[in-house]
Amino acid sequence: MTRKTTREARTQLAGMLAIAAAGTAAYWVGEGAAGGLQAGAILFAFALLIFLGRRWSPTIETMSGVGDERTRALTQRAAAFSGYAMACVLAAWGLISAAAGSFNATVGAMSVVFAVTWIGACAWDSRGG
């Protein structure tokens, strides 16, 4: 790893640990100590898996997004695929629930967020963003 990559990996670890701490606190408040500790264990373990596992697994390296241009491109492609898959799931879920007579407002809101961010990203990127 280069100095820049090492710095990026450490910065990413700090961010993941901060998110794990926030998730632990949120579950602790909402679910109690047992729920908080369980969520915290999962979140902290995942952060360490990403941080330590990138050296031994190309899949985890791609999941981390930290590395050379190839790794960053693979991460970007994987994220785009996941985003489109979620968009299809949300669209199907919204249509099926509406047809069943019980439209889910949360799914509708998530669909709108995806559509707005996708259109915004297309506009930004098409202008050389």
Coordinates of all heavy atoms in Angstrom, one line a residue, residues 14-87:
A14 N -11.8 5.0 10.4 CA -12.3 6.0 11.4 C -13.8 6.3 11.2 O -14.6 6.3 12.1 CB -11.5 7.3 11.4
G15 N -14.1 6.5 9.9 CA -15.5 6.7 9.6 C -16.4 5.5 9.9 O -17.5 5.7 10.4
M16 N -16.0 4.3 9.5 CA -16.7 3.1 9.8 C -16.9 2.9 11.3 O -18.0 2.6 11.8 CB -16.1 1.9 9.2 CG -16.2 1.9 7.7 SD -15.6 0.3 7.0 CE -13.9 0.2 7.4
L17 N -15.9 3.2 12.1 CA -16.0 3.1 13.6 C -16.9 4.1 14.1 O -17.7 3.8 15.1 CB -14.6 3.2 14.2 CG -13.6 2.0 13.9 CD1 -12.3 2.2 14.5 CD2 -14.2 0.7 14.3
A18 N -16.9 5.3 13.6 CA -17.8 6.4 14.0 C -19.3 5.9 13.7 O -20.2 6.1 14.6 CB -17.5 7.7 13.4
I19 N -19.5 5.4 12.6 CA -20.9 4.9 12.2 C -21.3 3.8 13.1 O -22.4 3.7 13.6 CB -20.9 4.5 10.7 CG1 -20.8 5.7 9.8 CG2 -22.2 3.7 10.4 CD1 -20.6 5.5 8.4
A20 N -20.3 2.9 13.4 CA -20.6 1.7 14.3 C -20.9 2.2 15.7 O -21.9 1.7 16.3 CB -19.4 0.8 14.4
A21 N -20.2 3.3 16.2 CA -20.5 3.8 17.5 C -21.9 4.5 17.5 O -22.7 4.3 18.5 CB -19.5 4.8 17.9
A22 N -22.2 5.2 16.4 CA -23.6 5.8 16.4 C -24.7 4.8 16.3 O -25.7 4.9 16.9 CB -23.6 6.8 15.1
G23 N -24.4 3.7 15.5 CA -25.4 2.7 15.4 C -25.6 1.9 16.7 O -26.7 1.6 17.1
T24 N -24.5 1.7 17.4 CA -24.6 1.1 18.8 C -25.4 2.0 19.7 O -26.3 1.5 20.4 CB -23.2 0.9 19.3 OG1 -22.4 0.1 18.5 CG2 -23.2 0.2 20.7
A25 N -25.2 3.3 19.7 CA -25.9 4.2 20.6 C -27.4 4.2 20.2 O -28.3 4.2 21.1 CB -25.3 5.6 20.5
A26 N -27.7 4.3 18.9 CA -29.1 4.3 18.5 C -29.8 3.0 18.9 O -31.0 3.1 19.4 CB -29.1 4.5 16.9
Y27 N -29.2 1.9 18.7 CA -29.9 0.7 19.1 C -30.0 0.6 20.6 O -30.9 0.0 21.2 CB -29.2 -0.6 18.5 CG -29.7 -0.9 17.2 CD1 -29.1 -0.4 16.0 CD2 -30.8 -1.8 17.0 CE1 -29.6 -0.7 14.8 CE2 -31.3 -2.1 15.8 CZ -30.6 -1.5 14.6 OH -31.1 -1.8 13.4
W28 N -29.0 1.1 21.3 CA -29.0 1.1 22.8 C -30.2 1.9 23.3 O -30.9 1.4 24.2 CB -27.7 1.6 23.4 CG -27.5 1.4 24.8 CD1 -28.2 1.8 25.9 CD2 -26.4 0.6 25.4 NE1 -27.7 1.4 27.0 CE2 -26.6 0.7 26.8 CE3 -25.3 0.0 24.9 CZ2 -25.7 0.1 27.7 CZ3 -24.5 -0.7 25.8 CH2 -24.7 -0.6 27.2
V29 N -30.4 3.0 22.7 CA -31.5 3.9 23.1 C -32.8 3.2 22.7 O -33.8 3.2 23.5 CB -31.4 5.3 22.5 CG1 -32.6 6.1 22.7 CG2 -30.2 6.0 23.1
G30 N -32.9 2.7 21.5 CA -34.2 2.2 21.0 C -34.5 0.8 21.5 O -35.7 0.4 21.7
E31 N -33.5 -0.1 21.7 CA -33.7 -1.5 22.0 C -33.2 -1.9 23.3 O -33.5 -3.0 23.8 CB -33.1 -2.4 20.9 CG -33.5 -2.1 19.5 CD -34.8 -2.7 19.2 OE1 -35.2 -3.8 19.8 OE2 -35.6 -2.2 18.3
G32 N -32.5 -1.0 24.0 CA -31.9 -1.4 25.3 C -30.5 -1.9 25.1 O -29.9 -1.9 24.0
A33 N -29.9 -2.2 26.2 CA -28.4 -2.5 26.3 C -28.1 -3.8 25.4 O -27.2 -3.8 24.6 CB -28.0 -2.8 27.7
A34 N -29.0 -4.8 25.5 CA -28.7 -6.0 24.8 C -28.8 -5.8 23.3 O -27.9 -6.2 22.5 CB -29.7 -7.1 25.1
G35 N -29.8 -5.0 22.8 CA -29.8 -4.7 21.4 C -28.7 -3.8 20.9 O -28.1 -4.0 19.8
G36 N -28.3 -2.9 21.8 CA -27.1 -2.0 21.4 C -25.8 -2.8 21.3 O -25.1 -2.6 20.4
L37 N -25.6 -3.7 22.3 CA -24.4 -4.5 22.2 C -24.4 -5.4 21.1 O -23.3 -5.6 20.4 CB -24.2 -5.2 23.6 CG -23.9 -4.3 24.8 CD1 -24.0 -5.2 26.1 CD2 -22.6 -3.6 24.6
Q38 N -25.5 -6.0 20.7 CA -25.6 -6.9 19.6 C -25.3 -6.2 18.3 O -24.5 -6.6 17.5 CB -26.9 -7.6 19.5 CG -27.0 -8.6 18.4 CD -28.4 -9.3 18.4 OE1 -29.4 -8.8 19.0 NE2 -28.5 -10.3 17.7
A39 N -26.0 -5.0 18.1 CA -25.8 -4.2 16.9 C -24.3 -3.7 16.8 O -23.7 -3.8 15.8 CB -26.7 -3.0 16.9
G40 N -23.8 -3.3 18.0 CA -22.4 -2.8 18.0 C -21.4 -3.9 17.6 O -20.5 -3.6 16.9
A41 N -21.6 -5.1 18.1 CA -20.7 -6.2 17.8 C -20.7 -6.4 16.3 O -19.7 -6.6 15.7 CB -21.1 -7.4 18.5
I42 N -21.9 -6.4 15.7 CA -22.0 -6.7 14.2 C -21.3 -5.5 13.5 O -20.6 -5.8 12.5 CB -23.5 -6.8 13.8 CG1 -24.0 -8.2 14.4 CG2 -23.6 -6.8 12.3 CD1 -25.5 -8.3 14.3
L43 N -21.6 -4.3 13.8 CA -21.1 -3.1 13.1 C -19.6 -3.0 13.2 O -18.9 -2.8 12.3 CB -21.8 -1.9 13.6 CG -23.3 -1.7 13.2 CD1 -23.9 -0.6 14.0 CD2 -23.4 -1.6 11.7
F44 N -19.1 -3.2 14.5 CA -17.6 -3.1 14.7 C -16.9 -4.3 14.0 O -15.8 -4.1 13.4 CB -17.3 -3.1 16.2 CG -17.5 -1.7 16.8 CD1 -18.6 -1.5 17.6 CD2 -16.6 -0.7 16.5 CE1 -18.8 -0.2 18.1 CE2 -16.8 0.6 17.1 CZ -17.9 0.8 17.9
A45 N -17.5 -5.5 14.0 CA -16.9 -6.6 13.3 C -16.8 -6.4 11.8 O -15.8 -6.7 11.1 CB -17.7 -7.9 13.6
F46 N -17.9 -5.8 11.2 CA -17.9 -5.5 9.8 C -16.8 -4.5 9.4 O -16.1 -4.6 8.4 CB -19.3 -5.0 9.4 CG -19.4 -4.8 7.9 CD1 -19.5 -5.9 7.0 CD2 -19.4 -3.6 7.3 CE1 -19.6 -5.8 5.7 CE2 -19.5 -3.4 6.0 CZ -19.6 -4.5 5.1
A47 N -16.7 -3.4 10.3 CA -15.7 -2.4 10.0 C -14.3 -3.1 10.0 O -13.5 -2.8 9.1 CB -15.8 -1.3 11.1
L48 N -14.0 -3.9 11.0 CA -12.7 -4.6 11.0 C -12.5 -5.6 9.9 O -11.4 -5.7 9.3 CB -12.5 -5.3 12.4 CG -12.4 -4.4 13.6 CD1 -12.3 -5.2 14.9 CD2 -11.1 -3.5 13.4
L49 N -13.6 -6.2 9.5 CA -13.5 -7.1 8.3 C -13.1 -6.4 7.1 O -12.2 -6.8 6.4 CB -14.9 -7.8 8.1 CG -15.0 -8.6 6.8 CD1 -14.2 -9.9 6.9 CD2 -16.4 -8.9 6.5
I50 N -13.7 -5.2 6.8 CA -13.3 -4.4 5.7 C -11.9 -3.9 5.8 O -11.1 -4.0 4.8 CB -14.3 -3.3 5.5 CG1 -15.7 -3.8 5.2 CG2 -13.9 -2.3 4.4 CD1 -15.9 -4.6 3.9
F51 N -11.5 -3.4 6.9 CA -10.2 -2.9 7.1 C -9.1 -3.9 7.0 O -8.1 -3.7 6.3 CB -10.1 -2.1 8.5 CG -8.8 -1.5 8.7 CD1 -8.4 -0.3 8.0 CD2 -7.9 -2.0 9.6 CE1 -7.2 0.3 8.2 CE2 -6.6 -1.4 9.8 CZ -6.3 -0.3 9.1
L52 N -9.3 -5.0 7.6 CA -8.2 -6.1 7.6 C -8.3 -7.0 6.4 O -7.3 -7.5 6.0 CB -8.3 -6.9 8.9 CG -8.1 -6.1 10.2 CD1 -8.4 -7.0 11.4 CD2 -6.7 -5.5 10.3
G53 N -9.5 -7.3 6.0 CA -9.7 -8.2 4.9 C -9.3 -7.8 3.5 O -9.1 -8.6 2.6
R54 N -9.2 -6.5 3.3 CA -8.9 -6.0 2.0 C -7.5 -6.5 1.5 O -7.3 -6.6 0.3 CB -8.9 -4.5 1.9 CG -7.8 -3.8 2.6 CD -7.7 -2.3 2.3 NE -8.9 -1.6 2.4 CZ -9.3 -0.9 3.4 NH1 -8.6 -0.8 4.5 NH2 -10.5 -0.3 3.4
R55 N -6.6 -6.9 2.4 CA -5.3 -7.4 2.0 C -5.4 -8.8 1.4 O -4.5 -9.2 0.7 CB -4.4 -7.4 3.2 CG -4.1 -6.0 3.7 CD -3.2 -6.1 4.9 NE -3.0 -4.7 5.4 CZ -3.4 -4.3 6.6 NH1 -4.1 -5.2 7.4 NH2 -3.2 -3.1 7.0
W56 N -6.4 -9.6 1.8 CA -6.4 -11.0 1.4 C -7.5 -11.4 0.4 O -7.5 -12.4 -0.2 CB -6.6 -11.9 2.7 CG -5.5 -11.7 3.6 CD1 -4.2 -12.2 3.4 CD2 -5.4 -11.0 4.8 NE1 -3.4 -11.8 4.5 CE2 -4.1 -11.1 5.4 CE3 -6.4 -10.3 5.6 CZ2 -3.8 -10.5 6.6 CZ3 -6.0 -9.7 6.7 CH2 -4.7 -9.8 7.2
S57 N -8.5 -10.5 0.2 CA -9.6 -10.8 -0.6 C -9.9 -9.7 -1.6 O -10.2 -8.6 -1.2 CB -10.9 -11.0 0.2 OG -12.0 -11.1 -0.6
P58 N -9.9 -10.0 -2.9 CA -10.2 -9.0 -3.9 C -11.6 -8.5 -3.8 O -11.9 -7.3 -4.0 CB -10.0 -9.7 -5.2 CG -9.2 -10.9 -5.0 CD -9.4 -11.3 -3.5
T59 N -12.5 -9.4 -3.3 CA -13.9 -9.0 -3.1 C -14.0 -7.9 -2.0 O -14.7 -6.9 -2.2 CB -14.8 -10.2 -2.7 OG1 -14.7 -11.1 -3.8 CG2 -16.2 -9.8 -2.5
I60 N -13.3 -8.1 -0.9 CA -13.4 -7.2 0.2 C -12.6 -5.9 -0.2 O -13.0 -4.8 0.2 CB -12.8 -7.8 1.5 CG1 -13.8 -8.9 1.9 CG2 -12.7 -6.8 2.6 CD1 -13.3 -9.7 3.1
E61 N -11.5 -6.1 -0.9 CA -10.8 -4.9 -1.4 C -11.8 -4.0 -2.3 O -11.8 -2.8 -2.1 CB -9.6 -5.3 -2.2 CG -8.8 -4.1 -2.8 CD -7.7 -4.5 -3.7 OE1 -7.7 -5.6 -4.3 OE2 -6.7 -3.8 -3.8
T62 N -12.5 -4.7 -3.2 CA -13.5 -3.9 -4.0 C -14.6 -3.3 -3.1 O -15.0 -2.1 -3.4 CB -14.1 -4.8 -5.0 OG1 -13.1 -5.4 -5.9 CG2 -15.1 -4.1 -5.9
M63 N -15.0 -4.0 -2.1 CA -16.0 -3.5 -1.2 C -15.5 -2.2 -0.5 O -16.3 -1.3 -0.3 CB -16.5 -4.5 -0.2 CG -17.3 -5.6 -0.7 SD -17.6 -6.9 0.4 CE -18.4 -6.1 1.8
S64 N -14.2 -2.2 -0.2 CA -13.7 -1.1 0.6 C -13.6 0.1 -0.3 O -13.7 1.3 0.2 CB -12.3 -1.5 1.1 OG -11.3 -1.4 0.1
G65 N -13.3 0.0 -1.6 CA -13.1 1.1 -2.5 C -11.8 1.8 -2.4 O -11.6 2.8 -3.1
V66 N -10.9 1.3 -1.5 CA -9.6 2.0 -1.3 C -8.6 1.2 -2.1 O -8.5 0.0 -2.0 CB -9.3 2.0 0.2 CG1 -7.9 2.6 0.3 CG2 -10.3 2.9 0.9
G67 N -7.8 1.9 -3.0 CA -6.8 1.2 -3.7 C -6.5 2.0 -5.0 O -6.7 3.2 -5.1
D68 N -6.1 1.3 -6.0 CA -5.7 1.9 -7.3 C -6.9 2.2 -8.1 O -8.1 2.0 -7.7 CB -4.7 1.1 -8.0 CG -5.2 -0.3 -8.3 OD1 -6.5 -0.6 -8.1 OD2 -4.5 -1.2 -8.8
E69 N -6.7 2.7 -9.3 CA -7.8 3.1 -10.2 C -8.7 1.9 -10.5 O -9.9 2.1 -10.6 CB -7.3 3.7 -11.5 CG -6.5 5.0 -11.4 CD -5.1 4.8 -10.9 OE1 -4.5 3.7 -11.1 OE2 -4.5 5.8 -10.5
R70 N -8.1 0.7 -10.7 CA -8.9 -0.4 -11.0 C -9.9 -0.8 -9.9 O -11.1 -1.0 -10.1 CB -8.0 -1.6 -11.3 CG -8.7 -2.9 -11.6 CD -7.8 -4.1 -11.7 NE -8.5 -5.3 -11.8 CZ -8.9 -6.0 -10.7 NH1 -8.7 -5.6 -9.5 NH2 -9.6 -7.1 -10.9
T71 N -9.4 -0.7 -8.6 CA -10.2 -1.0 -7.5 C -11.3 0.0 -7.4 O -12.5 -0.3 -7.2 CB -9.4 -1.0 -6.2 OG1 -8.4 -2.0 -6.3 CG2 -10.3 -1.3 -5.0
R72 N -11.0 1.3 -7.6 CA -12.0 2.3 -7.5 C -13.1 2.2 -8.6 O -14.3 2.4 -8.4 CB -11.4 3.7 -7.5 CG -10.6 4.0 -6.2 CD -10.2 5.4 -6.1 NE -9.4 5.9 -7.1 CZ -8.1 5.9 -7.2 NH1 -7.4 5.4 -6.1 NH2 -7.4 6.4 -8.2
A73 N -12.6 1.8 -9.8 CA -13.6 1.6 -10.9 C -14.5 0.4 -10.6 O -15.7 0.5 -10.9 CB -12.8 1.4 -12.2
L74 N -13.9 -0.7 -10.1 CA -14.8 -1.8 -9.7 C -15.8 -1.5 -8.7 O -16.9 -1.9 -8.7 CB -13.9 -3.0 -9.3 CG -13.0 -3.7 -10.3 CD1 -12.1 -4.7 -9.7 CD2 -13.9 -4.4 -11.4
T75 N -15.4 -0.7 -7.7 CA -16.3 -0.3 -6.6 C -17.4 0.5 -7.2 O -18.6 0.4 -6.8 CB -15.5 0.5 -5.5 OG1 -14.5 -0.3 -5.0 CG2 -16.4 1.0 -4.4
Q76 N -17.1 1.4 -8.1 CA -18.1 2.3 -8.7 C -19.1 1.5 -9.5 O -20.3 1.7 -9.4 CB -17.4 3.3 -9.6 CG -18.3 4.4 -10.1 CD -17.6 5.5 -10.9 OE1 -16.5 5.2 -11.4 NE2 -18.2 6.6 -11.0
R77 N -18.6 0.5 -10.3 CA -19.5 -0.4 -11.0 C -20.4 -1.2 -10.1 O -21.6 -1.4 -10.4 CB -18.7 -1.3 -11.9 CG -18.1 -0.6 -13.1 CD -17.2 -1.4 -14.0 NE -17.8 -2.7 -14.4 CZ -17.2 -3.7 -14.9 NH1 -15.9 -3.7 -15.0 NH2 -17.8 -4.8 -15.2
A78 N -19.8 -1.7 -9.0 CA -20.6 -2.5 -8.1 C -21.7 -1.7 -7.4 O -22.8 -2.1 -7.3 CB -19.7 -3.2 -7.1
A79 N -21.3 -0.4 -7.1 CA -22.3 0.5 -6.4 C -23.4 0.8 -7.4 O -24.6 0.9 -7.0 CB -21.6 1.7 -5.9
A80 N -23.0 1.1 -8.7 CA -24.1 1.4 -9.7 C -25.0 0.2 -9.9 O -26.2 0.4 -9.9 CB -23.4 1.7 -11.0
F81 N -24.5 -1.0 -10.0 CA -25.3 -2.2 -10.1 C -26.2 -2.3 -8.9 O -27.4 -2.6 -9.1 CB -24.4 -3.5 -10.3 CG -25.3 -4.7 -10.4 CD1 -25.9 -5.1 -11.6 CD2 -25.4 -5.5 -9.3 CE1 -26.6 -6.2 -11.6 CE2 -26.2 -6.7 -9.3 CZ -26.8 -7.0 -10.5
S82 N -25.7 -2.2 -7.7 CA -26.5 -2.3 -6.5 C -27.6 -1.2 -6.5 O -28.8 -1.5 -6.1 CB -25.7 -2.1 -5.3 OG -24.7 -3.2 -5.2
G83 N -27.3 0.0 -6.9 CA -28.3 1.0 -7.0 C -29.4 0.7 -7.9 O -30.6 0.9 -7.6
Y84 N -29.1 0.2 -9.1 CA -30.1 -0.1 -10.1 C -30.9 -1.3 -9.6 O -32.2 -1.4 -9.8 CB -29.5 -0.5 -11.4 CG -29.2 0.8 -12.2 CD1 -27.9 1.0 -12.7 CD2 -30.1 1.7 -12.5 CE1 -27.6 2.1 -13.4 CE2 -29.8 2.9 -13.2 CZ -28.5 3.1 -13.7 OH -28.2 4.2 -14.4
A85 N -30.3 -2.3 -8.9 CA -31.0 -3.4 -8.4 C -32.0 -2.9 -7.3 O -33.2 -3.3 -7.3 CB -30.1 -4.4 -7.8
M86 N -31.6 -2.0 -6.4 CA -32.5 -1.5 -5.4 C -33.6 -0.7 -6.1 O -34.8 -0.7 -5.6 CB -31.8 -0.6 -4.4 CG -30.9 -1.4 -3.5 SD -31.9 -2.7 -2.5 CE -33.0 -1.7 -1.7
A87 N -33.3 0.0 -7.1 CA -34.4 0.8 -7.8 C -35.5 -0.1 -8.4 O -36.7 0.2 -8.3 CB -33.8 1.7 -8.9

